[in-house]
Amino acid sequence: MQKNNQHHLLDLLYQPILTDKTTRLLEENQYSFTVKQGASKTDIKNAIEQAFNVKVIQVNTLKQTVKKRTVGKFTGRKTLYKKAIVKLDPKDKIILFPES
């Protein structure tokens, strides 16, 4: 049962978000991820702690609004996703850019 729960938690995380704003947040030891729509803050906290072996202090979540996009004569929508901003303990770090 424990192994099944670990896979469930890791499935909540999709990918890190790397934009100008989120790279500025990296300096404050805050990391942004796209997560599953139905994920709760405690599930996100447990998944981050398990995946990266760090201590999470705070989790903030938000749902990005649906935005309309027009390409030529076609109008569509950008997909809706949930974003989690995770603040880590000052002595922990997630390495997103490994040095080779």
Side-chain angles (χ1 to χ4, degrees):
M1 183 68 181
Q2 182 68 16
K3 190 172 189 176
N4 189 20
N5 190 25
Q6 288 176 349
H7 288 293
H8 167 71
L9 287 176
L10 294 178
D11 289 341
L12 296 177
L13 302 174
Y14 290 139
Q15 61 194 14
I17 301 172
L18 298 173
T19 61
D20 290 339
K21 185 175 180 180
T22 59
T23 48
R24 273 187 265 126
L25 286 175
L26 291 176
E27 296 169 1
E28 299 169 18
N29 215 15
Q30 295 182 4
Y31 297 85
S32 300
F33 294 93
T34 55
V35 295
K36 251 185 189 173
Q37 286 285 342
S40 67
K41 290 184 179 187
T42 55
D43 289 342
I44 294 168
K45 177 181 177 179
N46 292 335
I48 296 287
E49 287 179 345
Q50 201 172 60
F52 299 106
N53 196 21
V54 293
K55 180 165 177 22
V56 175
I57 294 176
Q58 184 179 10
V59 177
N60 294 331
T61 60
L62 60 111
K63 288 186 182 178
Q64 292 291 105
T65 57
V66 177
K67 297 179 183 174
K68 288 189 177 187
R69 291 287 178 243
T70 304
V71 178
K73 66 178 181 176
F74 301 104
T75 301
R77 296 186 320 212
K78 286 185 78 174
T79 56
L80 175 75
Y81 65 93
K82 189 171 187 176
K83 178 179 176 179
I85 301 173
V86 180
K87 185 173 184 177
L88 300 182
D89 191 274
K91 56 186 173 249
D92 288 331
K93 185 190 287 190
I94 296 175
I95 300 173
L96 294 177
F97 309 106
E99 296 179 18
S100 12

